[in-house]
PDB file of all heavy atoms in Angstrom:
ATOM      1  N   CYS A  35     142.613 -26.073 -30.383  1.00 47.00           N
ATOM      2  CA  CYS A  35     143.397 -25.063 -31.062  1.00 47.00           C
ATOM      3  C   CYS A  35     143.400 -25.249 -32.670  1.00 47.00           C
ATOM      4  O   CYS A  35     143.291 -24.390 -33.426  1.00 47.00           O
ATOM      5  CB  CYS A  35     144.859 -25.027 -30.651  1.00 47.00           C
ATOM      6  SG  CYS A  35     144.953 -24.396 -28.975  1.00 47.00           S
ATOM      7  N   ASP A  36     143.581 -26.568 -33.093  1.00 49.00           N
ATOM      8  CA  ASP A  36     143.768 -26.722 -34.483  1.00 49.00           C
ATOM      9  C   ASP A  36     142.418 -26.516 -35.248  1.00 49.00           C
ATOM     10  O   ASP A  36     142.472 -26.498 -36.483  1.00 49.00           O
ATOM     11  CB  ASP A  36     144.254 -28.124 -34.705  1.00 49.00           C
ATOM     12  CG  ASP A  36     143.362 -29.171 -34.130  1.00 49.00           C
ATOM     13  OD1 ASP A  36     142.369 -28.818 -33.498  1.00 49.00           O
ATOM     14  OD2 ASP A  36     143.747 -30.364 -34.439  1.00 49.00           O
ATOM     15  N   GLU A  37     141.390 -26.257 -34.681  1.00 46.00           N
ATOM     16  CA  GLU A  37     140.179 -25.868 -35.272  1.00 46.00           C
ATOM     17  C   GLU A  37     139.958 -24.353 -35.484  1.00 46.00           C
ATOM     18  O   GLU A  37     138.890 -23.949 -35.988  1.00 46.00           O
ATOM     19  CB  GLU A  37     138.886 -26.506 -34.582  1.00 46.00           C
ATOM     20  CG  GLU A  37     138.925 -28.025 -34.579  1.00 46.00           C
ATOM     21  CD  GLU A  37     137.815 -28.650 -33.825  1.00 46.00           C
ATOM     22  OE1 GLU A  37     136.960 -27.823 -33.336  1.00 46.00           O
ATOM     23  OE2 GLU A  37     137.809 -29.892 -33.651  1.00 46.00           O
ATOM     24  N   CYS A  38     140.796 -23.647 -34.971  1.00 50.00           N
ATOM     25  CA  CYS A  38     140.615 -22.061 -34.931  1.00 50.00           C
ATOM     26  C   CYS A  38     141.419 -21.485 -36.193  1.00 50.00           C
ATOM     27  O   CYS A  38     142.504 -21.879 -36.413  1.00 50.00           O
ATOM     28  CB  CYS A  38     141.145 -21.401 -33.701  1.00 50.00           C
ATOM     29  SG  CYS A  38     141.176 -19.707 -33.675  1.00 50.00           S
ATOM     30  N   SER A  39     140.860 -20.616 -36.791  1.00 49.00           N
ATOM     31  CA  SER A  39     141.378 -20.088 -37.960  1.00 49.00           C
ATOM     32  C   SER A  39     142.560 -19.078 -37.497  1.00 49.00           C
ATOM     33  O   SER A  39     143.438 -18.812 -38.362  1.00 49.00           O
ATOM     34  CB  SER A  39     140.360 -19.252 -38.794  1.00 49.00           C
ATOM     35  OG  SER A  39     139.881 -18.219 -37.945  1.00 49.00           O
ATOM     36  N   ASN A  40     142.687 -18.694 -36.336  1.00 46.00           N
ATOM     37  CA  ASN A  40     143.771 -17.863 -35.861  1.00 46.00           C
ATOM     38  C   ASN A  40     144.939 -18.666 -35.183  1.00 46.00           C
ATOM     39  O   ASN A  40     145.845 -18.023 -34.674  1.00 46.00           O
ATOM     40  CB  ASN A  40     143.152 -16.878 -34.775  1.00 46.00           C
ATOM     41  CG  ASN A  40     142.202 -15.924 -35.535  1.00 46.00           C
ATOM     42  OD1 ASN A  40     142.560 -15.243 -36.462  1.00 46.00           O
ATOM     43  ND2 ASN A  40     141.053 -15.827 -35.003  1.00 46.00           N
ATOM     44  N   PHE A  41     144.858 -19.974 -35.324  1.00 43.00           N
ATOM     45  CA  PHE A  41     145.825 -20.692 -34.655  1.00 43.00           C
ATOM     46  C   PHE A  41     147.267 -20.347 -35.069  1.00 43.00           C
ATOM     47  O   PHE A  41     148.178 -20.217 -34.161  1.00 43.00           O
ATOM     48  CB  PHE A  41     145.670 -22.214 -34.883  1.00 43.00           C
ATOM     49  CG  PHE A  41     146.667 -23.149 -34.330  1.00 43.00           C
ATOM     50  CD1 PHE A  41     146.759 -23.203 -32.928  1.00 43.00           C
ATOM     51  CD2 PHE A  41     147.568 -23.784 -35.177  1.00 43.00           C
ATOM     52  CE1 PHE A  41     147.790 -24.066 -32.449  1.00 43.00           C
ATOM     53  CE2 PHE A  41     148.540 -24.613 -34.666  1.00 43.00           C
ATOM     54  CZ  PHE A  41     148.647 -24.834 -33.224  1.00 43.00           C
ATOM     55  N   CYS A  42     147.471 -20.078 -36.423  1.00 45.00           N
ATOM     56  CA  CYS A  42     148.740 -19.805 -36.912  1.00 45.00           C
ATOM     57  C   CYS A  42     149.398 -18.472 -36.318  1.00 45.00           C
ATOM     58  O   CYS A  42     150.544 -18.372 -35.987  1.00 45.00           O
ATOM     59  CB  CYS A  42     148.897 -19.814 -38.377  1.00 45.00           C
ATOM     60  SG  CYS A  42     148.618 -21.320 -38.993  1.00 45.00           S
ATOM     61  N   MET A  43     148.501 -17.540 -36.193  1.00 45.00           N
ATOM     62  CA  MET A  43     148.907 -16.171 -35.641  1.00 45.00           C
ATOM     63  C   MET A  43     149.284 -16.169 -34.207  1.00 45.00           C
ATOM     64  O   MET A  43     150.150 -15.423 -33.825  1.00 45.00           O
ATOM     65  CB  MET A  43     147.770 -15.076 -35.980  1.00 45.00           C
ATOM     66  CG  MET A  43     147.594 -14.861 -37.524  1.00 45.00           C
ATOM     67  SD  MET A  43     146.584 -13.529 -37.824  1.00 45.00           S
ATOM     68  CE  MET A  43     145.128 -13.701 -36.793  1.00 45.00           C
TER      69      MET A  43
END
Side-chain angles (χ1 to χ4, degrees):
C35 292
D36 57 355
E37 294 177 7
C38 175
S39 62
N40 292 306
F41 176 70
C42 294
M43 292 190 309

